[in-house]
Amino acid sequence: MRIRPVNFYHINMEGVIISLAILIFLSHLFSAMFVKTRMPEVLPLLLLGILLGPLLNIVSPADFGMVDQVFTRVLLIVILFESGLGLRISQIRSTWEQSSRLTLISFVVIMCVVALLSKIVLNLHWAYAVILGSILADNSFAIIIPLISKLNITNTTKTVLLTESTIGGVISIVVTITLLNMAKIQSFDVSLIVAKIIYTFMVACITGGAAAIFWTTVLNKVRKLENGIFLTLAFVLVVYSVCETLGSDGSIGAFIFGIVAGNIRTIRKLHGFKFIERFTMNVKSKAFNDTEKSFFSEVVFVLRTFFFVYIGISMQLSSLYSILCGLLFTLVIFMARIPTVNYVLEKSVSRIDSAVTSIMVPKGLVTAVLASLIMQSGVPGGVILQNTIYSVILFSIILATLLSFFIEKGWGMPAVNFLFKRHREFYPDAIPAPAAKKVEIGHQQKHLIAKDR
């Protein structure tokens, strides 16, 4: 009897397809589990990747070939576009001063602390130490949103945190990519770096803004085309390419495109931008409807799912030194954040709100994408740096999740009162229930709090 040879390619292809399907199902399951467990869905995705990669050796980063480079760029473009689309100018006006102050000071402090530590621990050149610092100074928007969703803090603090994570991510991308480009030509002149950053923002703002105005005017016609919803993402990729061709950063152009398109009605009412109104007269409702926004969000969700599993696969558990460095960097970042928040936030902000703000430094998608760019840029010791950054992502998510849980339960009140004693004790409606039972408020203190609010 003739034995029919087994088609291993066919088996592998079937395995890949079923694996992709299972990952999407699991990601939605992990997302639903957060409601009860308070654990961000990216954490089990990371652990799943570690299980499939370094632990069981089922798959390795080499199996993906050059796909990861294209995937990384596309993911960065899409997440920044979607982040810009969700950023509401009207919501951040009241907190802009506090948000921008916290963003800039916290970014600089963490970047400097990480750069100094990496110079000592990893013996990096100062340029690469600053690059590592700028990458780890970013806070993950996608991780922070679920963590603060059930914490009993004020809406003002939530807005400050979301604004900080969004703007901080953009700053991290611009600084990191600019420094990486400078590293390629081995030129780290400060004036040249500042000029490059200013040029990048100017070109990105002009290109992304003009593209958004144009696209919002033709969007109603685009919707009439079959499968026209994909054309918006295609146009975002065009904006990216134009910005890159002009020597700017395309991902920032995509971010500006999202901000302008998502806030077109608000922007055209601002002083100095009323000329836009005659170009966007047909935009009577929101630039993008709920269906389109849900589609963009789902695209980011799916891409994020695969990417975090890929991060887990790429982690090298054999490099114990990188893992320990990641843990050390994580602890230092959290410790540096506490005094920064304590003295940057106004005294009127409650201790609970200050404590929550101080622990919201988990690293996520932008940090991971920039870590991949380090490898692709050929930075010396790129493998160690990438693995260290991936370790920081893992440890920072775990630590932020645990600390937010402790604060929610009121278990960390003694530490909160000690670390943030310059801030007022609490808001009556913004304190975890278990902790509220332990606090007695006098009539005079109630009156003062009510008056402050």
Side-chain angles (χ1 to χ4, degrees), residues 41 75 90 135 146 150 152 187 220 266 328 357:
E41 68 271 14
L75 179 58
S90 57
I135 292 176
K150 287 194 173 183
N152 203 5
S187 174
N220 287 331
T266 302
L328 177 62
T357 304

Side-chain angles (χ1 to χ4, degrees), residues 65-285:
M66 298 293 290
V67 176
D68 66 316
Q69 296 187 20
V70 178
F71 181 70
T72 299
R73 286 287 179 174
V74 172
L75 179 58
L76 186 61
I77 297 167
V78 175
I79 62 172
L80 280 176
F81 163 67
E82 204 251 347
S83 296
L85 203 61
L87 191 64
R88 286 288 166 265
I89 295 178
S90 57
Q91 293 178 352
I92 65 174
R93 281 180 182 176
S94 60
T95 61
W96 174 250
E97 182 181 351
Q98 190 167 208
S99 299
S100 58
R101 185 170 65 246
L102 177 63
T103 301
L104 293 175
I105 296 178
S106 179
F107 186 91
V108 171
V109 168
I110 292 179
M111 182 175 69
C112 293
V113 169
V114 170
L116 180 61
L117 185 62
S118 59
K119 178 67 177 177
I120 298 172
V121 177
L122 298 175
N123 195 28
L124 291 178
H125 184 280
W126 275 114
Y128 297 121
V130 174
I131 290 175
L132 181 60
S134 67
I135 292 176
L136 294 181
D138 170 58
N139 302 326
S140 175
F141 183 87
I143 308 296
I144 289 175
I145 286 180
L147 286 179
I148 66 175
S149 61
K150 287 194 173 183
L151 289 176
N152 203 5
I153 58 176
T154 61
N155 289 329
T156 299
T157 299
K158 291 181 180 179
T159 304
V160 168
L161 284 169
L162 297 183
T163 304
E164 181 203 9
S165 60
T166 303
I167 304 302
V170 176
I171 296 175
S172 180
I173 292 169
V174 172
V175 173
T176 300
I177 292 179
T178 300
L179 291 176
L180 283 175
N181 291 333
M182 296 296 101
K184 289 180 181 179
I185 60 176
Q186 296 184 345
S187 174
F188 297 102
D189 184 86
V190 176
S191 59
L192 185 63
I193 293 173
V194 173
K196 175 65 177 175
I197 291 176
I198 294 174
Y199 176 80
T200 297
F201 267 108
M202 287 183 59
V203 173
C205 288
I206 295 173
T207 306
I213 294 172
F214 166 76
W215 193 249
T216 53
T217 59
V218 302
L219 190 57
N220 287 331
K221 295 181 180 179
V222 171
R223 289 191 179 106
K224 297 177 182 178
L225 300 175
E226 188 175 359
N227 299 322
I229 195 170
F230 284 95
L231 291 178
T232 296
L233 292 180
F235 191 71
V236 173
L237 296 179
V238 172
V239 173
Y240 169 86
S241 301
V242 172
C243 289
E244 290 287 333
T245 303
L246 295 175
S248 180
D249 182 72
S251 54
I252 305 302
F255 180 69
I256 299 298
F257 178 92
I259 292 178
V260 175
N263 295 273
I264 191 68
R265 289 193 301 168
T266 302
I267 291 175
R268 68 187 183 187
K269 294 178 182 178
L270 299 176
H271 180 71
F273 291 92
K274 292 185 178 180
F275 69 93
I276 297 176
E277 192 164 2
R278 66 176 182 175
F279 298 107
T280 58
M281 290 181 64
N282 62 329
V283 185
K284 298 180 180 180
S285 60

Side-chain angles (χ1 to χ4, degrees), residues 98 101-102 157 337-355 357-358 416-427 445 449 452:
Q98 190 167 208
R101 185 170 65 246
L102 177 63
T157 299
R337 174 78 168 183
I338 292 174
T340 303
V341 169
N342 191 26
Y343 290 101
V344 169
L345 292 186
E346 299 172 357
K347 292 182 179 180
S348 58
V349 179
S350 74
R351 294 176 186 177
I352 291 293
D353 285 45
S354 301
T357 304
S358 68
V416 169
N417 290 327
F418 174 75
L419 294 172
F420 301 99
K421 57 186 177 183
R422 71 184 295 267
H423 293 264
R424 66 179 177 183
E425 196 164 357
F426 62 89
Y427 294 130
Q445 190 177 10
I449 292 173
D452 287 341

